[in-house]
Amino acid sequence: MNDLTLVLEGGAFRSLYTAGVLDVLLKNNIEANCVIGVSAGALTGMNYVSKQIGRSKDINIGFRDDKKYVGIEALKNEHGLIGFDYLFNDISKNKNVFDYETFKNSKENFISVVSNCEKGETEYFSKDDCSESYIYKAVQASSSMPLCSRMVEMNGYHYLDGAVTNPIPINIPLEQNHKNILVVLTRDERYRKPEVSKAMVKVYKRVFKKYPKLVEKLCTAPKRYNKIKDDINRLEAEGRIMVIEPKRPVEVTRLEKDKAKLQKLYDDGVNDMNEKLEELLNKIN
């Protein structure tokens, strides 16, 4: 195991970039001692910890046209645009089996970042503290985009996308003084989020009227994201972290349908990680 911490941004299908990065690490036998994933970064991180090269790509491209995974059937069956029950059950147990035993027994610490809707706060779930069904719930919660997915209930609370409250969770390794931190982003260096429109604020207030603290976090999410991106640029310049990110603005949408675009984004992740592989190896060895 290497002295390395991975911090994985989300972005739904933009996480194909992350999948490419992580597959290069796996092919070079680079095992991090800590993997922190938020939103789709948590889903992708699971397949890294289970050491299943290509699984994230094969699912997100191979099942993209399956409406039980993404689309009308998922909406009808699971009240959300992503079929998480279908993913964690039918796909993961029968069609592209998830190696839970390798995942669970790995010495790598895996943390899923979620947003507590009642408290409007970030919470963290570690695989070592959760049962199989519970870590699946935590990853589902982390990946459940507001307005696109139903809330996930755990511990008497409701949870949604971890990116709402902590979009790029670099705070954990920094606070714990981790030595080698690799941050994998799914947007280019210059990308910043625009302010939430007045129309969207009204939508949030109407849909989540029972969760005023969540509404506050949703409306201030761009400011939080942009500050973290600025912090990452500074930390990279100071040599305190390494960053892998797309070199150009990413044209892939969160629910992208174009498989060629998805494959290209995956390939970009592979190529960008290969370019920085020697630098990473020099740091961790």
Side-chain angles (χ1 to χ4, degrees), residues 159-185:
Y159 295 90
L160 280 174
D161 193 338
V164 173
T165 54
N166 193 352
I168 310 171
I170 58 172
N171 59 300
I172 301 176
L174 290 174
E175 290 168 0
Q176 297 178 2
N177 295 314
H178 291 201
K179 183 180 178 182
N180 298 309
I181 304 169
L182 176 62
V183 181
V184 184
L185 303 178

Side-chain angles (χ1 to χ4, degrees), residues 75-90:
L75 186 62
K76 182 175 69 175
N77 297 333
E78 303 189 34
H79 307 290
L81 291 176
I82 304 292
F84 289 108
D85 291 342
Y86 180 59
L87 170 62
F88 287 122
N89 289 290
D90 197 1

Side-chain angles (χ1 to χ4, degrees), residues 19-31 48 51-54 57 266-267 270 273-274 277:
V21 171
L22 298 185
D23 280 351
V24 171
L25 298 185
L26 287 173
K27 289 177 181 178
N28 286 275
N29 300 311
I30 298 173
E31 295 183 20
Y48 169 79
K51 300 176 177 58
Q52 292 178 272
I53 297 173
K57 173 178 71 72
Y266 172 84
D267 293 340
V270 169
M273 187 65 251
N274 275 324
L277 188 59

Side-chain angles (χ1 to χ4, degrees), residues 239-258:
R240 295 176 61 188
I241 64 173
M242 278 187 66
V243 179
I244 298 288
E245 60 196 344
K247 295 176 180 177
R248 294 169 293 277
V250 176
E251 297 180 356
V252 168
T253 63
R254 289 191 301 176
L255 298 177
E256 182 63 57
K257 295 181 180 180
D258 189 328

